[in-house]
Structures are given as C-alpha cells and as structure tokens.
Amino acid sequence: MPEVRAPEPADETTTARLLCDVLTPVGTPEQVGVLWKLAESGRQLDANLVRLPAGEHIGTHAEPDLDVLVLVVTGAGTMHTPEEQLSLVAGALVWLPHGSTRSITAGPDGLTYVTVHRRRPGMQIRPHPDSALTSAPAPARSDGPGRSTPAESGR
C-alpha cells in the first residue's frame, strides 16, 4: 500500500483568502483614489480598488510593459483611447494590452473600479556597467581606532 503523507501546513503565500468585498463601500464616501491594494507578500499580481468622484479625470497614460485588467464595480464613466471611447458601467471588464494608451473620466455619480496586472519587480538601483563604481575597489571604512573594513561588508 502506498505511503500516505499528511499535507504540509500551508503558508501565507499558498493559502487562498477573501481579501475584500468590492461592493461594500471601503472608507468614507468622501475618500477618493486608491481605497484598497493587494499587499500580501510573495504575490505575483498587483491589484487596486480605485474611486473617482463625479467628473474626476485621470490623464492620458500608458503601461509600456504590463497588460492591465479594469473591472468597473460601481458608477459609470468613459475610457478614452486613441481608437475609441469605451463606456464604463458597473460590470464592464476592459483589457488594456501593454503599450495601450488611455485616460478615464468618471460620470456624474463617480466611478469605482479594480485594476489588476502582473506585479512589477522591485526597483533596483545598480551602477551603470560603464560606471567607474563597478570597477573601483570599495573604499575602506573605519570601525574604530586601528580597524577598517571594506564598505561592501554590509556592516
């Protein structure tokens, strides 16, 4: 008979969980902008719940590297693209391929929507390959009288 192993306990990164109810108001009605965002560690996605007040406009912009999904939760508005104007109403799901340009204007009752896209890697600051910093030895740092250590030792 094959050996039966007990399942290993799930960790935070592999456990499904309810994050929020997008139909239940988050914050106060006066609160605008990002009301909620996915912030769990180890995630591969980014997601935001955004509220725009009546007539508010998000200027023209593009996401050069990532596809984005926009799901309208409440209210209405218009998404302007170079090709057309898309009517945004509750339940509308819009796919924005990477590189696509758009702007959004909330209607008279405002607009609340969720955006989802692949998570961006963390910002990394590295010297340019042609920089003198990549080939120069690290300067010595003093750790007190008579002792010095290389700066890259991390201390």
Side-chain angles (χ1 to χ4, degrees):
M1 182 176 247
E3 179 183 338
V4 178
R5 297 171 64 190
E8 294 185 29
D11 65 18
E12 179 181 301
T13 61
T14 61
T15 302
R17 59 189 163 274
L18 181 63
L19 298 172
C20 75
D21 178 350
V22 297
L23 296 178
T24 301
V26 178
T28 64
E30 303 81 33
Q31 202 172 358
V32 298
V34 177
L35 303 178
W36 171 88
K37 68 180 181 175
L38 187 61
E40 280 61 26
S41 64
R43 70 188 186 281
Q44 294 180 351
L45 293 175
D46 275 333
N48 300 291
L49 177 63
V50 179
R51 182 185 296 150
L52 297 178
E56 183 75 21
H57 180 75
I58 295 178
T60 302
H61 62 287
E63 171 48 67
D65 302 319
L66 305 173
D67 290 4
V68 178
L69 282 177
V70 176
L71 175 62
V72 178
V73 177
T74 62
T78 305
M79 180 177 290
H80 309 272
T81 72
E83 299 78 28
E84 63 184 316
Q85 290 188 17
L86 304 173
S87 179
L88 300 178
V89 295
L93 180 61
V94 179
W95 171 53
L96 299 163
H98 65 280
S100 62
T101 302
R102 73 278 194 175
S103 66
I104 299 174
T105 304
D109 295 325
L111 178 65
T112 303
Y113 60 92
V114 174
T115 64
V116 180
H117 58 80
R118 190 177 72 231
R119 185 175 183 197
R120 294 177 192 284
M123 190 168 144
Q124 299 175 354
I125 301 174
R126 292 178 265 191
H128 189 276
D130 296 335
S131 169
L133 294 175
T134 58
S135 58
R141 187 185 75 211
S142 174
D143 279 352
R147 295 182 298 186
S148 58
T149 57
E152 72 259 10
S153 70
R155 292 184 68 192

